[in-house]
Amino acid sequence: MPAAIDFAAGIAGLLSSAPTVTALNFHNTPAYKAAEYDRQFAIIAEHFAPTTEDDLAIFLATGRWPQAKPGIVLAFYNGYRNNFDVIRPLLERHGLVGWFLVASGYVACPPAEQLAFGATRTLRTIPGEYTDGRYALSWDECRELDRHHVVGSHTRNHTRVSLDNPAALDAEIVGSQTDFIRELGHPVRSFAWLFGGAYGENPLADRHVDRAGYEFLFSNYRLQRLRGERP
Amino acid sequence: MLSDAFIDEVFADIERLTSRDYAEIGVPMFLIAEDLSPGAAASVPPVSPHRSALLGAAFDQVWAAIVARKPELDAVDISRAIEVVADRYILALAASEFSRLTDEPTYV
């Protein structure tokens, strides 16, 4: 498929010529894997510095990390409750910063409806993990994470939407930011697409990202800074 | 020219990596960084060209191995190639040069 070959050539060129950010992407983090995550974080903390959005802004503007070690984005996608229960204490034990990229509608969903919500939106749950039926973060947990870590948006409903549907884009991109402003008391700076388009690929989606005011956009192969003061 | 052994190793890595439960593990990734904010420089060169060159060359080799053996390529193959490279080099490319290990800490 020539398109894939052309695209791969472009990726290779960018990897050779542009700064890159190292990321480690997680989703569910069940308690039975806590020892494995603990060992990984110990090694990560040896090689990388805890990384905040301010650190990332400096790196994207200058190509340099402000700390003695390179930064790393430890990303936890979707808004799973086990990220708070299992991962948060491990990150803090190792002095690391987590990036919790949350589907705001999952958090807002009543616990009794979360299994059904997840089943139609590729949000996997661990059977029997929580007997009270709540598998998503609560807003209180999001607020707690927001104090020492990064909380960002991973859309509102974690569902594929047509990129030419303004109402759907508005709900997923702007609506999610509205949810965070209401619950955290401030807008979040980071947005991660569900299926990955970079800024510049779809003008309609870009306009919604601009309206929502996100500073950082995570897509399949890129991490872009869109606005903000010069660091 | 890639050796058959190298190509075998790439495909063994892909099989090993894709057999894991992605929903419960940390998956390393390298993301290309871009600053599109107002006033940003048109491009920011990597501070460490040798690390970037190593990363680009590693991707080129892994991609060439996939192209050599897989008749029909699609976008997921690019993801697999990056995943193999990130899995192999996430820690290696974060390490300082040995001769700088005792310098004042400034990551470049």
Side-chain angles (χ1 to χ4, degrees):
Chain A
M1 181 182 182
I5 292 175
D6 289 347
F7 192 65
I11 295 282
L14 288 167
L15 289 172
S16 301
S17 61
T20 54
V21 174
T22 303
L24 199 51
N25 297 328
F26 294 82
H27 293 83
N28 261 302
T29 52
Y32 59 77
K33 290 208 166 176
E36 177 180 322
Y37 305 136
D38 191 34
R39 290 195 299 274
Q40 289 174 346
F41 291 166
I43 295 167
I44 290 293
E46 273 183 34
H47 288 78
F48 295 93
T51 303
T52 66
E53 287 167 314
D54 286 344
D55 298 328
L56 182 63
I58 291 170
F59 179 75
L60 292 181
T62 66
R64 290 175 183 270
W65 291 106
Q67 311 97 328
K69 300 175 189 174
I72 186 168
V73 173
L74 299 171
F76 301 89
Y77 282 91
N78 299 350
Y80 291 115
R81 179 179 177 181
N82 54 25
N83 294 166
F84 184 87
D85 292 341
V86 177
I87 288 298
R88 182 186 62 106
L90 295 177
L91 289 172
E92 293 175 5
R93 177 192 301 172
H94 293 288
L96 294 167
V97 170
W99 291 56
F100 297 89
L101 300 165
V102 175
S104 59
Y106 193 29
V107 178
C109 183
E113 299 169 21
Q114 286 183 3
L115 278 178
F117 183 97
T120 56
R121 292 170 172 85
T122 62
L123 291 165
R124 213 178 90 170
T125 49
I126 313 287
E129 185 179 30
Y130 291 109
T131 55
D132 65 1
R134 180 169 69 83
Y135 290 85
L137 292 167
S138 68
W139 283 119
D140 280 343
E141 289 165 345
C142 287
R143 282 185 280 272
E144 178 63 24
L145 290 170
D146 190 46
R147 294 175 60 207
H148 302 292
H149 300 276
V150 173
V151 174
S153 170
H154 186 35
T155 74
R156 178 183 264 170
N157 288 301
H158 201 264
T159 188
R160 184 185 288 276
V161 297
S162 171
L163 291 176
D164 59 3
N165 181 338
L169 289 172
D170 186 72
E172 296 303 316
I173 300 172
V174 182
S176 181
Q177 178 71 287
T178 305
D179 296 340
F180 285 108
I181 291 171
R182 183 186 65 245
E183 299 294 341
L184 300 184
H186 63 82
V188 296
R189 296 167 68 181
S190 297
F191 178 76
W193 265 119
L194 187 55
F195 297 106
Y199 193 90
E201 291 181 7
N202 181 297
L204 184 59
D206 293 349
R207 282 201 292 276
H208 285 85
V209 169
D210 289 339
R211 272 187 53 218
Y214 295 114
E215 180 177 347
F216 301 107
L217 181 65
F218 290 74
S219 53
N220 278 344
Y221 304 113
R222 295 173 194 263
L223 204 175
Q224 297 164 305
R225 184 169 186 247
L226 308 175
R227 58 186 48 78
E229 295 177 7
R230 306 308 305 154
Chain B
M1 183 73 181
L2 299 176
S3 68
D4 283 343
F6 180 85
I7 298 172
D8 289 344
E9 192 180 19
V10 167
F11 277 85
D13 271 4
I14 291 172
E15 186 174 344
R16 178 177 57 82
L17 294 173
T18 56
S19 68
R20 300 171 304 165
D21 185 350
Y22 281 83
E24 299 180 5
I25 60 170
V27 180
M29 178 62 67
F30 292 118
L31 297 169
I32 295 156
E34 284 183 314
D35 191 349
L36 306 177
S37 63
S43 65
V44 176
V47 170
S48 178
H50 78 272
R51 284 194 178 89
S52 297
L54 282 171
L55 183 55
F59 177 83
D60 271 341
Q61 283 198 320
V62 169
W63 179 248
I66 293 171
V67 170
R69 195 163 291 174
K70 197 163 180 286
E72 292 185 14
L73 298 165
D74 57 38
V76 76
D77 295 310
I78 296 169
S79 300
R80 298 292 183 232
I82 293 181
E83 186 181 354
V84 168
V85 171
D87 188 64
R88 291 180 176 183
Y89 296 104
I90 180 175
L91 296 180
L93 289 174
S96 173
E97 295 87 345
F98 183 80
S99 59
R100 290 182 168 178
L101 286 176
T102 53
D103 286 358
E104 285 297 309
T106 299
Y107 183 76
V108 296

